[in-house]
Amino acid sequence: MSLLSADRLADRLAAFDEQALAEVYDTYSPALYAFALRLLGDEDLAEECVAETFLRFLKALQNGAQPIRELKPYLYRIAHNWIQDHYRHKGRRPLEILDESYADPQRAVDDETERHLLQEQARAALANLTAEQRLVIVLHFIEGWDQASIATALQKPLTAVKALQHRGLQALRRMLLKED
């Protein structure tokens, strides 16, 4: 992102400045794609999430949304809401728990398959958290956000974010230790 002030960028976005819009897309779309892919586990859905995120962002600008100063948390919140909407309409959790046949100790598994299995187990465990717990854990431990930034993105007090993270980690620990 260029060295534009947040105020100046917000003004340019509100005026639908094509260069500013392209700059925002180029800056944030790769990270949003990675975020969506981690939560969805599907490349096509992750691409759709990014496209819908920016479509919703443009619609908000078009409808005269207040100048957006904290762009990164705002875009992540849109993406997270899209993911939640997607699964709400599908009537299922983001990922189903793995079939027990994958855990067969007799099965010879190469390193790549084992890595993939561990990723799927972690993704399945994350899917069983509440939406807010999952978002806090992904943003903090995978995306590398600090808790204050997460609090801003979720529009929650810092103490609430810490509590969500603590309860989410406890639930993950119980789920993952139970699978062993």
Side-chain angles (χ1 to χ4, degrees):
M1 180 79 54
S2 67
L3 298 176
L4 293 174
S5 72
D7 290 337
R8 176 76 178 115
L9 180 60
D11 292 342
R12 289 179 59 205
L13 290 172
F16 274 84
D17 179 312
E18 286 184 30
Q19 184 178 356
L21 291 168
E23 190 174 328
V24 168
Y25 182 83
D26 291 343
T27 300
Y28 294 110
S29 64
L32 287 169
Y33 173 80
F35 170 74
L37 184 59
R38 285 184 190 107
L39 289 176
L40 296 164
D42 181 284
E43 292 176 0
D44 292 334
L45 282 176
E47 287 176 9
E48 185 177 345
C49 177
V50 172
E52 286 294 320
T53 296
F54 282 98
L55 180 64
R56 289 179 183 190
F57 173 60
L58 290 173
K59 283 181 180 179
L61 290 175
Q62 187 177 32
N63 291 331
Q66 294 296 318
I68 300 156
R69 309 253 185 271
E70 300 276 342
L71 208 49
K72 183 178 178 181
Y74 183 78
L75 291 171
Y76 272 77
R77 190 168 49 246
I78 293 172
H80 178 257
N81 289 344
W82 184 89
I83 291 167
Q84 292 307 114
D85 289 348
H86 172 76
Y87 287 113
R88 202 170 298 126
H89 294 316
K90 294 288 185 187
R92 59 183 168 89
R93 303 275 315 191
L95 290 167
E96 305 299 328
I97 295 296
L98 291 173
D99 187 303
E100 289 298 317
S101 65
Y102 286 107
D104 182 3
Q106 301 298 325
R107 187 173 175 206
V109 189
D110 65 4
D111 290 342
E112 183 65 24
T113 304
E114 185 174 354
R115 184 180 64 76
H116 180 71
L117 176 63
L118 291 173
Q119 286 174 340
E120 289 298 317
Q121 288 172 330
R123 199 175 278 127
L126 275 172
N128 286 303
L129 297 177
T130 68
E132 287 184 331
Q133 288 172 343
R134 181 173 49 253
L135 182 59
V136 167
I137 290 190
V138 169
L139 289 177
H140 185 70
F141 293 102
I142 297 174
E143 298 293 324
W145 290 31
D146 62 45
Q147 291 175 328
S149 297
I150 297 169
T152 299
L154 295 179
Q155 299 175 330
K156 292 192 174 291
L158 182 58
T159 54
V161 169
K162 288 180 179 181
L164 284 166
Q165 179 178 314
H166 178 74
R167 287 192 305 268
L169 288 174
Q170 284 182 324
L172 281 175
R173 189 175 296 115
R174 282 190 306 273
M175 283 183 274
L176 292 173
L177 290 176
K178 185 173 82 171
E179 290 181 11
D180 287 343

